[in-house]
Amino acid sequence: MEREAAEDGAAGRQIGRSLRRREDGRFLTGAGSFVDDEPAEGALSLYVVRSPHAHASIGRIDTGRARDMPGVAGVFTAADLALDGLGPMPCVAKVRTVTPLVVPPRHALASGRVRHVGDPVAFVVADSRNAARDAAEMVAVDYGILPAVVDGAAALRDGAPVLWEEAPGNLAFLFRAGDRAATDAALGAAAHVSELALVNNRVLATPIEPRAAIGRYDRESGMLFLTLTGQGVQEVRLELARDVFHLPAERIRLFAPDVGGGFGMKNFLYPEWILVLWAARRLGRAVRWVADRSEDFVSDTQGRDQHSTARLALDSEGRFLALEVETVANLGAYLSGYAPGVPTNMTAMGGVYAIPALAVEVRGAFTNTVPVDAYRGAGKPEANYLIERLVDLAAHETGRDPVRLREMNLVTRFPYRNAAGTVIAEGQFAANLEAAAGRGRDGFAARRAEAASRGRLRGLGIACFLETARGATEENAAIRFPGDGTVELLLGTQSNGQGHETSYAQIAADLFGLPVERFRFVQADTGRVPEGHGHGGARSMHMGGTALVLAARQVIEKGVLVASHLMQADPSEVAFANGRFRLRGAKGSAGIDLLDVAAAAQKGTELPAGMAPGLDSQALNRCDIFTFPNGCHVAEVEIDPETGATRLVRYSATDDFGRLINPLITAGQVHGGVAQGIGQALLEAAVYDPASGQFLSGSLLDYALPRSDDLPAFEITLVEAPSAANPLGVKGSGQAGAMAAPQTVMNAILDALAPLGVERLDMPATPERIWQAIRAGRRTSTP
């Protein structure tokens, strides 16, 4: 990893240091605490009965034999939940659609009809997981099999099986953005128009920790407690209370211990969260549910699955004039919490390029598949993939160098309002492209020639990306002094592998002049952190870090008042630096330590008149400003034309994430995102049988994830161009790799295949697909 740092000569600073993650010690020694590690005395186990059919009516459900099985505490169906008045799970996305957004009711258990393989129908609670599983196999459901449709475009055609009466033709929404008249005019006047049909393949998040939950109920207080593998516990609590259980939010408390990855998928309310809480209240005992991997595959939200046709208009000099996009977004059988907001996220449409006119139409389709929702980037990877594939195609069709074509169309003046309405405030797009392309192309011709001597095809792909990072427009932070020599940092964001326990401590260490080890990190407990917006949108350091800065300022401002009172000085004479309050101009170590001032303030006996005890603070950061992480990636592949086998041999990136709190953690985030993007490009595909709707990728035997030997050593250069959007100068880094890698790898593959006449290829670029494309290209090019 190389780092081109912004100037920072402050001695002893923690921001900018590549500290090892504090949390890794417990993870590496088996001391982490995940949901399945959590003790729950006397807990029952819950097992869900799921539909084996993609589309079927539900007749009689016979639970008699299951109830009689040993150890069974109860067997329940949708009718039982309905008697308690439980409401449906909400879709909270706010989207301005042309047609009304259709949100069919989605209850924790299906009633009347199942609409995808894995749809929950009933559940068993028993003394052990094995007992619950055995009893679940005794639940007999009378299904009436119905025709299924799994492809989004097919679902919108006349005569397709209809999933919901309230959604004729399976249309969930119609969305349009941009200026149609200006785009049509530009397309008509263009010297060249490149058109490309693209599939952004359906993928699975597959975090290392499957979903799990423990529900508890306290009869005396009427409180419900949920421990879960979640990423945004405050929002999940709100939906559980407001929409499902119809309770004040204060009557439900959520906890998330260590979370083994999520990638957006764990942001949402799931049926199982409802079931464990309801069962705990009904039975008066703790109830635990832990998914196995195959169950996760048919119950976790899935990602991407967009089919687009896009056209890019160029003038005679190669300047971009307009971009037209038509997309069908496969949403699955139900609208998950944020699903409509993903394919309609226009903030990154057009990427780093100045494109004067834009017209986008998106149709959301219901299908007999698992619901689709946000997955590492949530619409922005799709937008970046689309424009970068189009730019490479346009370069090929017009005989232009793909780097030079990019260069001449980059946004270079800021702020720049793109055709989708996003104001891009800053960026060093040209410098990043030049640096990345220069490093990537150096010596490539020789490497290509050497590969050819071995009968291999070598290709080089270059692609840029633009992220719009912020997520929700509010975030909370609190600082507490418990009196034991530590300082608690309570954040409304949530880590599930991003290293927040370390990064926030580094920020606080600089703000307060204390060692990193003094700080304790608190998150994902709605009892202690009742307000927050969790994870998503590469937002934590931008939104949560700024909230922490605001809370720290409150501490220092009040600390000056307390310290001046203790020192019998005017507050204007007292300054704070390096962990101590001192009289201005005083020499030596005279002064009072922050923790001593906090202790005195907590006693409340030596405070200025009318001041409340304690230095504890809480701050709300309201901000609707995006940061703009950006960069340029370069990939090299080598292909065996006889088999289609492809090897990714080099991968480099030049990325700008603003000021880096911890460069080592940032590089790790980039590595993970790039690996996921490479997986989507080369390996991953969540496949359904088009006739039966059966899920064909039901286990890790059938769903290929990237392994270490699929990946080269990554060469990452981090360029620090501080953002003006927040006092820390940070930009988000958690999603960028997944936004850049797919198009970079696919451009490299198509560059390798270009001599054989292959111009178009969809992800995943498996050996079979490449081999077939080579054969088709040879047939086309043969006279």
Side-chain angles (χ1 to χ4, degrees):
M1 176 189 72
E2 296 180 20
R3 179 185 176 203
E4 299 176 8
E7 292 185 7
D8 185 356
R13 288 183 64 90
Q14 298 300 320
I15 291 177
R17 292 185 63 196
S18 289
L19 301 182
R20 297 286 179 180
R21 298 196 318 178
R22 302 171 72 189
E23 48 268 62
D24 284 349
R26 68 175 185 274
F27 293 153
L28 293 172
T29 58
S33 179
F34 300 89
V35 170
D36 201 28
D37 300 316
E38 291 286 304
E41 186 176 353
L44 299 165
S45 289
L46 185 149
Y47 194 88
V48 181
V49 178
R50 300 185 183 276
S51 170
H53 305 293
H55 200 192
S57 61
I58 301 174
R60 181 170 179 266
I61 302 178
D62 185 353
T63 62
R65 293 181 63 191
R67 293 179 193 277
D68 294 337
M69 294 284 287
V72 170
V75 185
F76 306 102
T77 67
D80 298 297
L81 304 186
L83 289 174
D84 274 2
L86 268 59
M89 295 180 288
C91 173
V92 298
K94 306 297 182 186
V95 180
R96 294 181 179 179
T97 56
V98 176
T99 59
L101 179 64
V102 178
V103 184
R106 184 188 183 192
H107 290 272
L109 295 176
S111 175
R113 198 191 303 187
V114 291
R115 292 175 170 85
H116 68 85
V117 171
D119 215 353
V121 175
F123 68 97
V124 177
V125 183
D127 290 343
S128 70
R129 178 175 172 79
N130 287 340
R133 185 200 300 265
D134 289 345
E137 292 178 357
M138 296 296 105
V139 175
V141 183
D142 182 14
Y143 292 109
I145 298 176
L146 300 171
V149 60
V150 297
D151 177 78
L156 297 176
R157 296 188 191 117
D158 292 342
V162 176
L163 274 74
W164 299 97
E165 291 182 4
E166 51 266 64
N170 296 314
L171 183 68
F173 63 82
L174 173 64
F175 170 88
R176 294 192 179 111
D179 187 329
R180 167 51 66 185
T183 302
D184 287 345
L187 288 165
H192 180 82
V193 176
S194 289
E195 182 172 334
L196 186 59
L198 285 173
V199 176
N200 208 299
N201 43 320
R202 183 179 283 232
V203 291
L204 307 177
T206 56
I208 194 168
E209 180 197 21
R211 285 191 303 116
I214 302 170
R216 298 176 175 89
Y217 177 64
D218 182 74
R219 292 193 184 280
E220 185 174 338
S221 65
M223 284 283 295
L224 288 165
F225 300 90
L226 178 65
T227 303
L228 74 160
T229 53
Q231 294 179 225
V233 296
Q234 291 87 0
E235 180 62 33
V236 173
R237 177 179 76 152
L238 177 62
E239 294 171 19
L240 282 168
R242 178 193 62 206
D243 300 299
V244 179
F245 286 95
H246 311 302
L247 294 171
E250 296 75 20
R251 291 268 302 279
I252 304 179
R253 183 173 180 178
L254 268 63
F255 311 84
D258 291 325
V259 177
F263 315 115
M265 179 273 291
K266 292 180 181 175
N267 278 341
F268 316 117
L269 176 60
Y270 282 96
E272 296 83 7
W273 307 162
I274 299 168
L275 301 182
V276 295
L277 286 176
W278 183 86
R281 186 172 69 177
R282 173 71 171 256
L283 300 172
R285 292 173 63 181
V287 176
R288 182 192 299 268
W289 172 78
V290 180
D292 60 31
R293 184 64 66 184
S294 292
E295 188 175 19
D296 253 7
F297 276 17
V298 294
S299 61
D300 296 350
T301 57
Q302 299 176 355
R304 311 288 194 259
D305 203 343
Q306 295 183 21
H307 291 231
S308 299
T309 299
R311 297 199 293 167
L312 181 65
L314 295 80
D315 68 14
S316 59
E317 296 181 352
R319 299 282 180 187
F320 299 160
L321 302 175
L323 174 64
E324 179 189 55
V325 182
E326 296 179 353
T327 295
V328 173
N330 187 337
L331 302 170
Y334 305 93
L335 289 190
S336 179
Y338 296 93
V342 174
T344 59
N345 185 343
M346 295 290 107
T347 56
M349 186 60 72
V352 295
Y353 306 107
I355 305 176
L358 170 73
V360 178
E361 180 177 286
V362 182
R363 292 181 293 160
F366 289 113
T367 65
N368 295 113
T369 63
V370 174
V372 170
D373 211 319
Y375 168 69
R376 202 161 192 170
K380 291 167 284 188
E382 296 91 319
N384 278 280
Y385 181 73
L386 187 148
I387 187 62
E388 291 296 327
R389 287 288 308 273
L390 261 179
V391 172
D392 251 37
L393 178 65
H396 175 73
E397 291 180 341
T398 62
R400 291 182 166 90
D401 179 277
V403 173
R404 299 285 79 84
L405 183 60
R406 285 178 167 83
E407 186 178 61
M408 69 186 295
N409 285 287
L410 291 173
V411 175
T412 56
R413 294 184 180 182
F414 302 93
Y416 173 81
R417 181 182 293 275
N418 69 17
T422 302
V423 177
I424 303 172
E426 55 203 4
Q428 298 184 107
F429 305 156
N432 293 338
L433 173 61
E434 182 180 358
R439 278 193 290 265
R441 284 182 160 182
D442 186 28
F444 174 69
R447 295 192 296 275
R448 171 174 267 180
E450 189 279 329
S453 71
R454 295 182 282 107
R456 298 293 186 265
L457 304 170
R458 195 154 181 136
L460 184 141
I462 294 174
C464 300
F465 78 92
L466 175 68
E467 156 80 299
T468 52
R470 185 203 63 208
T473 57
E474 293 184 353
E475 198 46 81
N476 294 264
I479 297 172
R480 302 280 184 263
F481 295 87
D484 59 359
T486 66
V487 182
E488 291 185 337
L489 310 176
L490 298 87
L491 273 297
T493 59
Q494 190 179 334
S495 174
N496 55 97
Q498 294 91 338
H500 291 180
E501 191 171 330
T502 304
S503 298
Y504 279 124
Q506 289 181 255
I507 295 171
D510 277 4
L511 294 171
F512 290 130
L514 296 175
V516 169
E517 294 75 20
R518 288 278 190 177
F519 297 96
R520 292 207 309 253
F521 179 57
V522 179
Q523 65 165 10
D525 177 352
T526 61
R528 301 205 62 198
V529 190
E531 301 295 333
H533 294 277
H535 157 90
R539 65 187 302 272
S540 293
M541 294 301 110
H542 170 38
M543 296 299 296
T546 299
L548 184 61
V549 170
L550 298 176
R553 289 174 181 171
Q554 293 179 18
V555 168
I556 294 168
E557 289 170 4
K558 187 173 182 180
V560 165
L561 299 177
V562 175
S564 65
H565 184 76
L566 294 173
M567 292 187 285
Q568 300 182 352
D570 188 271
S572 64
E573 299 175 332
V574 176
F576 177 78
N578 299 321
R580 292 177 68 81
F581 295 92
R582 294 183 174 88
L583 292 175
R584 296 183 186 275
K587 296 181 180 180
S589 60
I592 308 175
D593 288 344
L594 170 63
L595 294 179
D596 292 335
V597 171
Q602 189 60 41
K603 289 179 182 177
T605 57
E606 298 182 71
L607 295 176
M611 180 178 286
L615 284 191
D616 293 355
S617 69
Q618 183 160 345
L620 171 65
N621 173 29
R622 288 192 175 97
C623 177
D624 62 358
I625 302 172
F626 290 112
T627 68
F628 296 93
N630 64 91
C632 182
H633 290 211
V634 183
E636 277 186 45
V637 299
E638 195 171 281
I639 299 173
D640 180 349
E642 299 305 315
T643 65
T646 300
R647 190 164 62 93
L648 181 64
V649 292
R650 295 182 61 154
Y651 197 99
S652 61
T654 300
D655 288 340
D656 169 19
F657 301 122
R659 187 175 297 279
L660 304 178
I661 304 300
N662 185 311
L664 182 65
I665 290 177
T666 302
Q669 288 292 291
V670 175
H671 285 201
V674 167
Q676 283 186 291
I678 291 168
Q680 182 177 10
L682 295 177
L683 299 163
E684 299 183 46
V687 179
Y688 292 82
D689 179 69
S692 67
Q694 287 297 316
F695 188 50
L696 304 180
S697 307
S699 76
L700 289 174
L701 292 174
D702 310 295
Y703 186 84
L705 290 175
R707 304 184 183 206
S708 59
D709 60 353
D710 294 312
L711 308 173
F714 298 143
E715 303 168 30
I716 308 296
T717 299
L718 301 177
V719 179
E720 291 187 72
S723 173
N726 57 71
L728 294 169
V730 297
K731 304 172 186 177
S733 64
Q735 303 180 145
M739 290 185 189
Q743 60 264 29
T744 307
V745 173
M746 293 301 293
N747 285 347
I749 291 171
L750 287 164
D751 181 59
L753 298 178
L756 303 183
V758 178
E759 297 181 354
R760 295 155 199 258
L761 188 69
D762 278 320
M763 302 185 291
T766 61
E768 179 189 11
R769 282 190 175 179
I770 291 175
W771 181 79
Q772 290 176 341
I774 290 172
R775 287 174 59 84
R778 285 172 173 167
R779 286 196 299 269
T780 302
S781 59
T782 300

